[in-house]
Amino acid sequence: IWMTLEHLRITNAAFSQIILCLGNNSIPPGVARTQDVKPATDLSLEVVEAYTQSCSAVLNAVAETPNLKTKLKFAHPWFGPMNAEGWHLLAGTHMSIHRKQIEAILERLT
């Protein structure tokens, strides 16, 4: 579970950065790569607060972006170029997928 939360923390940080950049009419630096969102393995309870903060960062990025239907796009490694709205939608879908993963893990632990 800690590794899943850490993965979400990493991706949420990226999502918020991408949404803010696109919303400010700029392309984020670098490229989005799946190998950059792999979690560490030596995690503990501290990841929960960092994860919570990353969720707030996504919400804040969306709130600070007046128009998510940006003309500029940034490429996702699987889904291709997306505007800020696409990245916002991906953030929610991604969280939902991993919520189900965490629920399955918890079910196996009980």
Side-chain angles (χ1 to χ4, degrees):
I1 292 172
W2 300 145
M3 289 175 67
T4 305
L5 292 178
E6 173 67 359
H7 167 70
L8 290 170
R9 182 203 61 78
I10 295 165
T11 55
N12 284 346
F15 294 153
S16 60
Q17 167 88 14
I18 293 165
I19 291 167
L20 285 172
C21 283
L22 293 175
N24 286 313
N25 204 32
S26 66
I27 300 292
V31 296
R33 304 177 326 156
T34 57
Q35 60 264 40
D36 294 337
V37 297
K38 304 291 183 202
T41 57
D42 58 338
L43 301 163
S44 63
L45 185 61
E46 289 81 32
V47 75
V48 174
E49 179 58 29
Y51 159 75
T52 301
Q53 290 175 5
S54 76
C55 293
S56 295
V58 172
L59 294 174
N60 291 338
V62 170
E64 292 174 27
T65 305
N67 183 7
L68 292 173
K69 294 183 183 200
T70 58
K71 291 183 182 182
L72 289 179
K73 296 181 178 183
F74 186 68
H76 182 277
W78 296 343
F79 307 122
M82 297 187 298
N83 63 11
E85 180 182 44
W87 284 96
H88 179 221
L89 292 170
L90 176 62
T93 302
H94 185 249
M95 294 282 286
S96 176
I97 290 166
H98 287 297
R99 178 185 174 116
K100 290 176 183 154
Q101 178 188 23
I102 290 170
E103 288 170 351
I105 292 168
L106 289 171
E107 214 172 276
R108 286 192 299 259
L109 292 175
T110 56

